[in-house]
Amino acid sequence: MNSMNDTGVVGPASGRTSHTHRLRGLVGTGFIATLAAMVATTLAAALAQAVGVDFEVSDGGETVPLSGFAVVTGFFSVVGIVIAVALLRWSARPAKRFVWTAVSLTAISLVPPLLSGANTATTTALLGLHLVPATVMIPTLALSLRTRTD
């Protein structure tokens, strides 16, 4: 075997393997964090209900069910994973860009509970429930995106 050919073949392949491995690790970690965020948010909502928060968000008496918290948390956590994957692919500093983007989107997500017309207890609980998955997902994905240059 020619060592020059071995080096030429292994170099690019190992670079792609490293990127693929990193991508798979990010997605796997993201999905585990998504499950944790869904459970934490649903438990926090159940606790809020147990202490009397009704989660009635409209004048018609419509209440948010516990399963709704899990579904919405899961959906937007997956959106966060997609953003993280895109930044891993196209950003020189994916962790920093992800944190900036995710914190900005979390801040924007706090507006609808304030406009919902719900009572103070429900509004406060909804604001807190927006922060629960953010405290799970943002640090977890940011850590998975970290590189030596970040």
Side-chain angles (χ1 to χ4, degrees):
M1 288 186 151
N2 185 345
S3 65
M4 185 177 210
N5 287 340
D6 289 345
T7 304
V9 171
V10 174
S14 68
R16 275 184 254 131
T17 302
S18 174
H19 181 72
T20 302
H21 177 69
R22 195 159 175 222
L23 180 65
R24 285 183 183 164
L26 172 63
V27 171
T29 299
F31 279 120
I32 291 168
T34 296
L35 292 174
M38 290 170 67
V39 168
T41 304
T42 305
L43 287 175
L47 179 62
Q49 271 187 341
V51 297
V53 176
D54 60 13
F55 292 116
E56 187 176 306
V57 293
S58 66
D59 292 331
E62 186 176 329
T63 48
V64 179
L66 287 179
S67 61
F69 292 106
V71 169
V72 171
T73 299
F75 176 79
F76 284 106
S77 295
V78 170
V79 169
I81 295 168
V82 170
I83 291 169
V85 166
L87 290 170
L88 179 63
R89 171 69 176 99
W90 290 299
S91 177
R93 299 198 183 276
K96 288 181 182 182
R97 300 287 185 259
F98 176 77
V99 170
W100 186 88
T101 302
V103 168
S104 298
L105 291 173
T106 300
I108 291 168
S109 81
L110 297 176
V111 174
L114 295 171
L115 302 176
S116 69
N119 64 38
T120 304
T122 299
T123 300
T124 303
L126 289 172
L127 291 171
L129 290 173
H130 277 78
L131 299 177
V132 169
T135 59
V136 173
M137 295 302 296
I138 295 172
T140 302
L141 292 175
L143 186 61
S144 291
L145 288 168
R146 291 241 184 263
T147 63
R148 291 184 185 135
T149 59
D150 270 347

